[in-house]
Amino acid sequence: MLRFDGDVVVVTGGANGLGRAYALEFARRGAAVLVNDVGSAHSDLAVEPAAAQRVADEIIAAGGVAAANDLSVTSFEGGQAIVADALDRWGRIDVLIHSAGVMRDRTLARLDPSELHAVLDVHLSGGFHVGQPAFRAMKEQPTGGRIVMTSSTSGFFGVFGQAAYAAAKGALAGMTRVIALEGARYSIRANALVPVATTRLSPDRDPLSPRPPEDVAQFVVALCHRDCAATGMVFAAGGGWAGRMGVAVGQGFAQPGAAAEDVAANWDRVTALDFDEMADGFAIGPFIDAQLSDSTIAPDV
Ligand SMILES: NC(=O)c1ccc[n+]([C@@H]2O[C@H](COP(=O)([O-])OP(=O)(O)OC[C@H]3O[C@@H](n4cnc5c(N)ncnc54)[C@H](O)[C@@H]3O)[C@@H](O)[C@H]2O)c1
């Protein structure tokens, strides 16, 4: 059994759906869990004041160790206070899972800036608000830590009506890659998760094949165990299936000083994407590869 005895786990959005499943499973495996949740419905129509406490009580009733925190991840101070809460109670943080989420589906033509920001605030800014203090605390621990940021298929492939959500989720995956790069020398591992589960945020489309959040929780437990070395990756998981997602850049067309006409004449080569190139899931081609290793920023900046 993969155990988490002595580990401290913080789960944002831990009162419902996936977050609740993670909180219960980590606690069952010996971790002390801080269940964070503002208790908002994803539509903001209903608010459940003691939502986080409900799940913490469930864990404690089952013999586990847990505490509730009802602050919002949308403010910098809130994110800091959530992590500080775990540190004050248990003195460390080993795993952070950012699962808080809201939805405001709207086509781009109708999207109101307030809706855009409501979504970005929870998913993307929220990831930074809790991610930074967690990173800072993990950096001081010889054992480092593990961070999971919740992304979505929408962030990679796009879903009609989800410009805001896709932007937030795609950006969060990008930020996670950077956390992994910057955390490597402190044994901090960061991965993005693309879950598929039946929850109130993502109701069942096919009643014949329900996808319990508990299945995703099993994957997340394996990913967050101290013996799992994965970092900087994107994983999709749901319904008992899990797999790695990648980004591909084709070989493309290269000609120094190419004019627009040259590009147009070689459009087939520019757009070609050969999956044989995707040996390790991140077939990025020589041009992008050189760009990535070109960072001039000193590690301590
Ligand atoms: N269910 C899926 O299939 C699926 C697919 C892709 C991504 N996701 C993502 O997974 C995460 C969990 O989603 P879920 O399906 O369990 O939804 P859910 O609605 O069941 O749970 C989300 C929780 O986040 C909480 N929350 C909202 N705003 C918050 C805030 N500001 N601070 C703290 N907590 C807040 C809500 O109160 C809720 O309890 C979300 O980030 C979601 O976007 C889910």
Side-chain angles (χ1 to χ4, degrees):
M1 185 179 186
L2 297 177
R3 297 284 311 177
F4 289 78
D5 302 288
D7 278 4
V8 174
V9 178
V10 174
V11 183
T12 73
N16 290 291
L18 288 157
R20 174 177 170 274
Y22 304 148
L24 292 173
E25 190 59 19
F26 278 108
R28 195 176 73 83
R29 292 169 182 270
V33 179
L34 185 74
V35 183
N36 159 260
D37 205 298
V38 286
S40 81
H42 63 83
S43 62
D44 265 358
L45 292 176
V47 172
E48 183 193 357
Q53 191 63 55
R54 166 172 51 74
V55 175
D57 288 347
E58 211 175 330
I59 290 171
I60 293 162
V65 178
N69 176 296
D70 62 4
L71 297 173
S72 174
V73 299
T74 55
S75 80
F76 183 56
E77 294 72 24
Q80 286 188 309
I82 292 165
V83 173
D85 192 354
L87 294 172
D88 290 347
R89 287 174 194 276
W90 298 302
R92 54 187 297 112
I93 172 171
D94 298 282
V95 176
L96 167 69
I97 301 177
H98 178 41
S99 189
V102 292
M103 277 225 190
R104 299 280 191 286
D105 283 10
R106 193 83 73 196
T107 56
L108 185 77
R110 291 167 180 266
L111 184 64
D112 187 88
S114 66
E115 293 166 323
L116 171 75
H117 289 292
V119 171
L120 292 177
D121 284 353
V122 178
H123 298 276
L124 178 58
S125 302
F128 168 68
H129 295 152
V130 290
Q132 188 191 58
F135 185 97
R136 286 178 171 166
M138 289 172 179
K139 206 169 157 246
E140 304 306 321
Q141 300 173 172
T143 48
R146 282 84 68 198
I147 295 175
V148 175
M149 296 291 184
T150 312
S151 188
S152 167
T153 47
S154 191
F156 293 90
F157 306 114
V159 170
F160 189 94
Q162 291 191 347
Y165 186 74
K169 291 305 205 184
L172 188 56
M175 188 167 79
T176 309
R177 293 271 299 167
V178 176
I179 296 172
L181 288 171
E182 296 180 358
R185 62 199 178 123
Y186 307 112
S187 303
I188 297 172
R189 298 168 191 151
N191 294 284
L193 173 73
V194 170
V196 181
T198 307
T199 65
R200 59 186 199 158
L201 189 136
S202 179
D204 230 349
R205 287 181 196 107
D206 177 4
L208 293 178
S209 59
R211 298 190 172 96
E214 289 73 19
D215 284 347
V216 181
Q218 294 302 315
F219 173 75
V220 168
V221 158
L223 178 65
C224 291
H225 193 262
R226 60 184 77 82
D227 293 342
C228 177
T231 190
M233 298 183 186
V234 181
F235 294 100
W241 173 88
R244 188 174 164 199
M245 287 174 54
V247 174
V249 179
Q251 287 299 315
F253 160 68
Q255 178 183 301
E261 289 73 16
D262 300 317
V263 175
N266 287 279
W267 196 243
D268 284 353
R269 286 169 67 188
V270 172
T271 55
L273 201 52
D274 180 354
F275 280 86
D276 291 343
E277 296 165 6
M278 291 189 61
D280 66 353
F282 280 83
I284 51 181
F287 178 73
I288 300 285
D289 204 16
Q291 291 238 312
L292 286 175
S293 52
D294 218 21
S295 172
T296 51
I297 302 198
D300 287 325
V301 171

